[in-house]
Amino acid sequence: VLHGAMMILMNQADAGVTCPMSMTYACVPALQADPEIAAKWVPRVQAASYDPRFIPADQKTGVTIGMAMTEKQGGSDVRANTTRAVPDGQGAYILTGHKWFCSAPMSDAFLTLAYTDEGLTCFLVPRWKPDGTRNGIHVMRLKDKMGDKSNASSEIEYHGAWAERLGEAGRGVRTIIDMVQHTRYDCILGSTGGIRAALVQALWHTSQRRAFQKALIDQPAMRAVLADLVIESEAATAIALRVGASLDRAATDEQEAAFMRLATPLAKYWVCKRQPGFVYEALECHGGAGYVEEGPMPRLYRQSPLNAIWEGSGNVIALDVLRALSREPDSLEAVQAELKKPLGRHHAYDAHVGRLADYLTPGNLHEGTARGFARDAALALQGAALHEMAPDFVFEAFCAQRLSSDRNGLLYGDVSPDVDQARLIERAIPAV
Ligand SMILES: Cc1cc2nc3c(=O)[nH]c(=O)nc-3n(C[C@H](O)[C@H](O)[C@H](O)COP(=O)(O)OP(=O)(O)OC[C@H]3O[C@@H](n4cnc5c(N)ncnc54)[C@H](O)[C@@H]3O)c2cc1C
C-alpha cells in the first residue's frame, strides 16, 4: 500500500521514469527463483540510491533491472519467441536472438525468455560478463514512441550473450508469473496517478479561468463534468489501494492471496482502459490551452494509453481473467465474498452485483463476453473498495453514476441528481 501511494504520487510528476522503477521493484520474486542469483542481485536491487555508472553490477551501489520478453512475432504470445539459449558448458548459457521492445536499455541486467531444448526458459542477462568485458547485447535502435518520452525503449539483439538461468528449464513463464502481479499492480498505480494528475490540472484551471461572469468551476455544466471526473479518480484510487492491500496480505492470508490473483487483472483491465478517455475530458476542460504543448495536458494525453498495452493488453487481460476463473475457483469465491460486504447499502450496487452473477450461468462466460465480465466485475470491486475506504457520499455517488442502469456512462458530465457534486469537488481540489 505504501508503495502504491508513493507510485501514485510519483506518476503525477513523471510517468516515464516509473517504468524502470517498476521493473526493478517487480523482479525480486523472479530473482528469488535462484537463491545464488538472488543473493548477488537482490541487495543491490533494494538499494535506495540509483548508481548510473557504466560499470559491472558487482561494483555498483545500486542496480536497475529491465525485461526483454517481446519479440517481433510474439508479444502477448511469448511462446512464439525464437531466441535460443545453449549451455556454455560451465553452468551458464549463451543467447542468440532479438527482442523487439526492451525499455530502459541502460539497466544493469535483463530478465529475458529464450528457448532451450527443454522449452521456454527465463534468464538473467547482465550488461557485463563475469570476466569484466561487455556482454553481447546490442541496442539496434531506440523506439520513437508517441509518448513516454522520458523512458528510453529500444530494439536489442543478443549476439552470443552470456546469461544465467532463473528457475527450471522449460518453465520460464512460471518463473516470471509472480513478477507479473507486481508489474500489473504498477500499471494500475500508473493509470491512477495519470488520472489524478489530469484531474488536478482540470480542477486548477477551471478554478482560475473565468467565462460568462463566473469561474468555470462554478458553471453548472462544468461542475457536472468535474464531479464525474472526481468519481472516476476516487474509484481508481480505491481499487488500486485495495489490490495493494491484498498483495501485502497474500503471504499470510489465503483468502487475500486468492483475491489478489483475480482482482489484479480486473483492476488492471479497467483502470488502465479508463485513463485515455479521462485525460481527454480533463484536457477539454482547458479549452484550447489543453491542446498546446507548453502545458502539461498533451504529455499526459500521449502517456495515457500505455499502461493498458503493457503487461497484457485489454483482450489478453480479459482472457487471463477467464483463465483465473477456470483454474482458480477460490479467486472467484474471494472476490464474491468481497462484493457481499456492501450489499444492502445502495440499490444500484445490489442490482449490479446481481447482474454480474448472470455471467456465471453456464454458457454465458466465454472469450466473446470476457471483456464485459471484466468491466462489470471491476466496477463492482470499485464500489466495494469505495465502500470500505471512502466517505459514504463518494460510495453513493459512484453507485448512482457508474452502477445505475439509467446511466449509460458513455461520456462524462451527465450526472445523476443523487450525486453530491460540491462535496466531491471540495474533497478533490488540491489545497495550496
Ligand atoms: C511503451 C512500451 C514499453 C514496453 N516495454 C517493454 C519492455 O521493456 N519489455 C518487453 O518485453 N516488452 C515491452 N513492451 C511491449 C509490450 O509488452 C507488448 O507490446 C505487449 O505485450 C503486446 O504485444 P504485441 O505488441 O506483440 O501485440 P500482440 O500480441 O500482437 O497484440 C495485439 C492486439 O491483439 C490482442 N490479442 C492478442 N492475443 C489475443 C487473443 N488471443 N484474442 C484476442 N485478442 C488478442 C492484444 O490484446 C492486442 O490488443 C512495451 C510496450 C510499450 C508500448
Side-chain angles (χ1 to χ4, degrees):
V1 168
L2 177 61
H3 169 87
M6 291 189 336
M7 284 296 275
I8 292 171
L9 289 173
M10 180 69 199
N11 270 280
Q12 290 174 61
D14 183 77
V17 294
T18 60
C19 171
M21 288 168 66
S22 286
M23 294 191 290
T24 304
Y25 156 72
C27 74
V28 172
L31 294 177
Q32 280 165 342
D34 186 304
E36 266 183 45
I37 294 178
K40 268 191 288 179
W41 286 90
V42 172
R44 280 193 292 273
V45 161
Q46 290 175 335
S49 64
Y50 174 59
D51 184 341
R53 290 176 297 160
F54 185 47
I55 52 174
D58 58 7
Q59 299 168 31
K60 294 182 73 164
T61 50
V63 296
T64 57
I65 308 278
M67 284 161 73
M69 312 285 171
T70 308
E71 296 187 8
K72 292 188 185 79
Q73 73 294 345
S76 311
D77 183 9
V78 287
R79 291 191 190 279
N81 279 194
T82 57
T83 296
R84 289 287 309 176
V86 292
D88 73 347
Q90 294 165 33
Y93 287 78
I94 300 298
L95 267 54
T96 305
H98 83 280
K99 295 291 167 182
W100 184 70
F101 228 123
C102 174
S103 294
M106 71 292 180
S107 299
D108 295 285
F110 302 89
L111 287 172
T112 204
L113 290 172
Y115 272 98
T116 61
D117 289 344
E118 289 83 12
L120 198 59
T121 304
C122 187
F123 292 92
L124 186 70
V125 192
R127 291 280 293 281
W128 298 78
K129 291 194 278 191
D131 65 7
T133 59
R134 295 273 303 279
N135 206 357
I137 307 170
H138 295 263
V139 178
M140 308 313 289
R141 64 169 180 166
L142 295 179
K143 296 259 192 219
D144 188 7
K145 295 175 292 181
M146 66 179 272
D148 198 48
K149 302 283 187 189
S150 58
N151 174 36
S153 299
S154 66
E155 297 172 17
I156 61 168
E157 286 181 3
Y158 295 133
H159 294 187
W162 184 92
E164 289 181 285
R165 197 185 77 211
L166 263 179
E168 277 178 63
R171 306 261 297 155
V173 173
R174 177 61 254 166
T175 305
I176 57 169
I177 223 83
D178 290 340
M179 176 173 182
V180 168
Q181 292 291 352
H182 291 84
T183 46
R184 286 183 176 172
Y185 177 44
D186 273 13
C187 289
I188 306 166
L189 300 169
S191 287
T192 303
I195 281 172
R196 172 73 191 164
L199 175 66
V200 165
Q201 295 298 333
L203 289 169
W204 182 252
H205 183 85
T206 54
S207 59
Q208 304 303 309
R209 173 80 169 172
R210 294 179 68 82
F212 304 98
Q213 294 87 47
K214 276 186 184 169
L216 277 176
I217 200 170
D218 295 325
Q219 294 287 7
M222 182 61 89
R223 283 188 87 67
V225 171
L226 294 169
D228 211 353
L229 292 173
V230 171
I231 292 169
E232 194 69 29
S233 174
E234 292 270 9
T237 309
I239 196 172
L241 296 180
R242 180 62 188 90
V243 168
S246 71
L247 279 156
D248 280 342
R249 297 171 191 150
T252 52
D253 183 332
E254 276 178 27
Q255 170 107 347
E256 285 290 311
F259 176 84
M260 178 228 19
R261 285 194 293 275
L262 184 54
T264 307
L266 287 171
K268 198 281 189 187
Y269 175 77
W270 188 240
V271 175
C272 297
K273 279 256 170 263
R274 295 292 285 173
Q275 189 183 356
F278 184 101
V279 177
Y280 153 69
E281 196 66 62
L283 182 155
E284 195 182 299
C285 293
H286 294 70
Y291 202 72
V292 292
E293 293 287 351
E294 282 92 343
M297 295 315 293
R299 179 171 60 86
L300 296 177
Y301 184 66
R302 285 193 298 264
Q303 187 76 26
S304 65
L306 168 52
N307 288 313
I309 297 173
W310 195 56
E311 286 305 87
S313 312
N315 290 347
V316 170
I317 288 279
L319 297 180
D320 264 13
V321 165
L322 287 195
R323 214 164 295 126
L325 293 180
S326 68
R327 290 192 193 156
E328 303 181 55
D330 58 334
S331 66
L332 177 62
E333 284 161 26
V335 165
Q336 283 171 324
E338 184 85 359
L339 297 184
K340 277 196 188 129
K341 293 178 192 167
L343 284 178
R345 291 293 322 285
H346 197 286
H347 61 91
Y349 179 86
D350 295 357
H352 181 83
V353 172
R355 287 193 296 273
L356 190 61
D358 293 344
Y359 283 102
L360 303 176
T361 306
N364 281 2
L365 193 52
H366 47 80
E367 292 193 12
T369 55
R371 272 187 177 228
F373 175 77
R375 174 198 60 211
D376 289 344
L379 281 166
L381 276 177
Q382 286 187 317
L386 285 170
H387 176 256
E388 184 186 335
M389 56 184 100
D392 286 352
F393 72 90
V394 179
F395 167 70
E396 283 154 17
F398 177 82
C399 293
Q401 198 57 21
R402 295 288 182 275
L403 305 183
S404 295
S405 50
D406 60 346
R407 301 275 131 203
N408 67 28
L410 289 177
L411 282 177
Y412 291 96
D414 168 24
V415 174
S416 156
D418 296 340
V419 166
D420 189 339
Q421 298 181 21
R423 287 176 84 191
L424 284 165
I425 291 172
E426 188 192 353
R427 186 172 135 87
I429 204 153
V432 285

